[in-house]
Amino acid sequence: MAPDPFAPETIISDLQNLRGDDVDWRSGRAFSLTYLASPEAQELSERAYAMFAGENALNVAAFPSLRRMQGDVLAFVADLFHAPVGWAGFLTSGGTESLLMASYAARRRRGDVARPNIVLPTSAHAAFEKACAYFGIESRRVPVRDDWRADVAAMAAAIDNDTILLVGSAPQYPQGVVDPIAELGVVASSHDIPLHVDSCIGGMVLPFIEPFASHESRFDFLVDGVTSISVDLHKYGYAAKGSGVIIYRSRELRDHQTFVTDNWLGGLYGSSGVLGTKSGGPIASAWAMMRHFGREGYADLARRTRATTLLLADAISSIDPLFVMTKPDSTLICFGSHDDSVHTNALADALRARGWWVDRQGPPPTLHMTVSAHHEHVADRFIEDLQSCVAGVRSDAAGPGSTVGYGTVE
Ligand SMILES: Cc1ncc(COP(=O)(O)O)c(C=O)c1O
């Protein structure tokens, strides 16, 4: 008898089949887009998500559970980043929304400026371009130094009376290095311009590894001049997709991101982020991960992931003609090829054929790996496959390979 196409088990089985060609990230095959601490933690995250998937954080008066979870998660992150008394934050849907909000708040803080600009290094995340496009802001990109970090003097020189925000990253995504946040803080303070630290990808790692764990190398609210910080929980917080945090030094700064209107027939509508309706799933998942790991657990994950990252970076640089662009500051690896016969895109294609996923990026043309805690179990296998892929690409004269963007346009 043919299966009932409307039966839940048929639908679930069809969904399972649809996954057939997806990268197998649950086995640690993806070094991008996904984050895996352990299968057990993943299961807990998904159970928590499912429990609150239908709840709506648009109005937490109806769901005090979500209000409580949001408050707990924000307090955890604020504490980690030494937010001062009077801080205020918001749970976003992730890095892009956090960066949009930081830019929007800065824009509204300086409503007097007709042609506002944001001064940011060329390495700062693409979501700032989106923010500038959405809110009519000029993106004033300043080339990074030879070591891929923000050039603070050049950024200072790019500031004018219409600059509404400075940006530094901890770390930046492409090469994985941390910008000189303390120096940027000095520039920001002296010009009275807000400084946003984008710690979306490193925020749940850097506070636990040296040198960033020590007060001398801080990149957070201990640095005068830092006015807001973004941290994604759906990255190294290992929570479900759709959970990020933005924390402001003061409520006054955060209030600029709040949107309120009654200019319609539905009454007072207040919303602090881009979204209206907002699933409780990511919030519950973030709360569950925070409870499951706590500071100690995250510290352990960060140290283990860092060790795997250094091991992988060493192994990659020992494979001719590959080279690691710079020693990773955190848990991101950027590597390229010295030899035109081993194109990085062709290498990514060959790895994909063996089930691995790495990001293609540039300029310059390089590959990017976001290392998760679970990768410690597959690092050796990856290196073996990488060696074979380099040999294969070279002997096949594989050519330039295919281009796949960091994000896709459908
Ligand atoms: C430094 C940094 N900022 C922002 C983002 C954007 O985050 P999301 O993709 O969650 O919107 C990323 C994503 O990797 C990132 O690495």
Side-chain angles (χ1 to χ4, degrees):
M1 203 171 70
D4 172 3
F6 304 108
E9 52 287 6
T10 316
I11 295 168
I12 294 295
S13 148
D14 285 352
L15 282 171
Q16 200 54 46
N17 291 338
L18 280 176
R19 277 182 160 166
D21 292 332
D22 289 359
V23 60
D24 185 9
W25 67 276
R26 286 167 195 272
S27 306
R29 292 260 158 180
F31 285 98
S32 157
L33 303 166
T34 55
Y35 297 78
L36 186 63
S38 68
E40 299 72 38
Q42 185 60 28
E43 193 193 331
L44 172 61
S45 160
E46 289 175 13
R47 279 174 63 196
Y49 188 106
M51 279 177 73
F52 285 86
E55 272 74 357
N56 192 345
L58 173 61
N59 191 329
V60 290
F63 302 107
S65 58
L66 295 180
R67 176 181 279 142
R68 163 79 198 276
M69 286 187 261
Q70 286 186 164
D72 289 349
V73 170
L74 287 176
F76 181 82
V77 175
D79 192 40
L80 202 54
F81 285 80
H82 302 99
V85 175
W87 66 269
F90 182 71
L91 239 63
T92 65
S93 57
T96 299
E97 187 180 357
S98 296
L99 302 187
L100 286 173
M101 287 300 95
S103 306
Y104 179 63
R107 177 46 187 130
R108 287 182 79 201
R109 177 180 170 272
R110 290 295 310 279
D112 57 308
V113 177
R115 293 164 61 82
N117 67 72
I118 296 180
V119 170
L120 72 177
T122 41
S123 55
H125 195 269
F128 278 110
E129 295 304 308
K130 191 185 246 188
C132 289
Y134 280 14
F135 304 131
I137 302 170
E138 177 198 343
S139 159
R140 199 166 278 182
R141 293 270 181 178
V142 176
V144 290
R145 306 184 317 212
D146 288 347
D147 64 359
W148 308 102
R149 294 171 213 277
D151 183 334
V152 178
M155 284 178 67
I159 293 172
D160 62 18
N161 289 337
D162 297 338
T163 302
I164 58 165
L165 184 67
L166 293 181
V167 173
S169 307
Q172 43 94 306
Y173 179 85
Q175 288 79 30
V177 295
V178 177
D179 287 330
I181 302 299
E183 292 171 42
L184 282 173
V186 172
V187 174
S189 298
S190 65
H191 289 78
D192 190 25
I193 298 172
L195 168 61
H196 181 79
V197 175
D198 177 0
S199 200
C200 285
I201 201 161
M204 297 304 289
V205 174
L206 293 184
F208 305 112
I209 60 170
E210 291 303 334
F212 305 101
S214 68
H215 281 205
E216 296 75 55
S217 317
R218 287 312 293 199
F219 55 95
D220 63 13
F221 289 111
L222 289 177
V223 174
D224 284 341
V226 170
T227 50
S228 55
I229 300 183
S230 49
V231 181
D232 284 352
L233 300 173
H234 66 200
K235 293 190 171 76
Y236 286 102
Y238 296 103
K241 298 282 178 287
S243 43
V245 162
I246 181 161
I247 308 266
Y248 293 87
R249 189 177 275 281
S250 71
R251 170 154 288 277
E252 185 253 323
L253 285 168
R254 182 222 188 260
D255 282 350
H256 291 297
Q257 89 161 55
T258 305
F259 179 82
V260 183
T261 185
D262 60 2
N263 187 19
W264 71 316
L265 301 182
L268 188 67
Y269 177 92
S271 153
S272 301
V274 173
L275 305 184
T277 285
K278 184 171 166 188
S279 170
I283 299 170
S285 162
W287 192 85
M289 290 298 95
M290 185 194 78
R291 278 280 307 276
H292 183 58
F293 292 121
R295 265 196 189 224
E296 281 310 304
Y298 280 123
D300 178 57
L301 289 168
R303 287 185 209 117
R304 280 168 37 210
T305 312
R306 170 87 178 141
T308 308
T309 306
L310 295 179
L311 192 139
L312 280 165
D314 265 2
I316 291 168
S317 51
S318 70
I319 302 175
D320 176 56
L322 305 184
F323 67 95
V324 172
M325 198 58 99
T326 177
K327 183 178 178 211
D329 272 351
S330 177
T331 51
L332 311 176
I333 302 172
C334 169
F335 69 97
S337 165
H338 283 304
D339 182 344
D340 285 349
S341 72
V342 181
H343 290 271
T344 47
N345 284 354
L347 197 51
D349 287 344
L351 285 165
R352 178 69 175 122
R354 288 176 180 244
W356 301 101
W357 185 276
V358 295
D359 261 344
R360 302 149 206 242
Q361 63 172 18
T366 41
L367 297 179
H368 186 281
M369 294 170 68
T370 303
V371 182
S372 277
H374 189 71
H375 284 131
E376 65 192 1
H377 303 295
V378 300
D380 290 350
R381 222 171 328 140
F382 174 78
I383 292 299
E384 276 168 32
D385 276 350
L386 182 61
Q387 271 162 339
S388 308
C389 288
V390 167
V393 164
R394 198 177 246 152
S395 70
D396 296 350
S402 50
T403 305
V404 179
Y406 170 101
T408 48
V409 179
E410 299 297 324

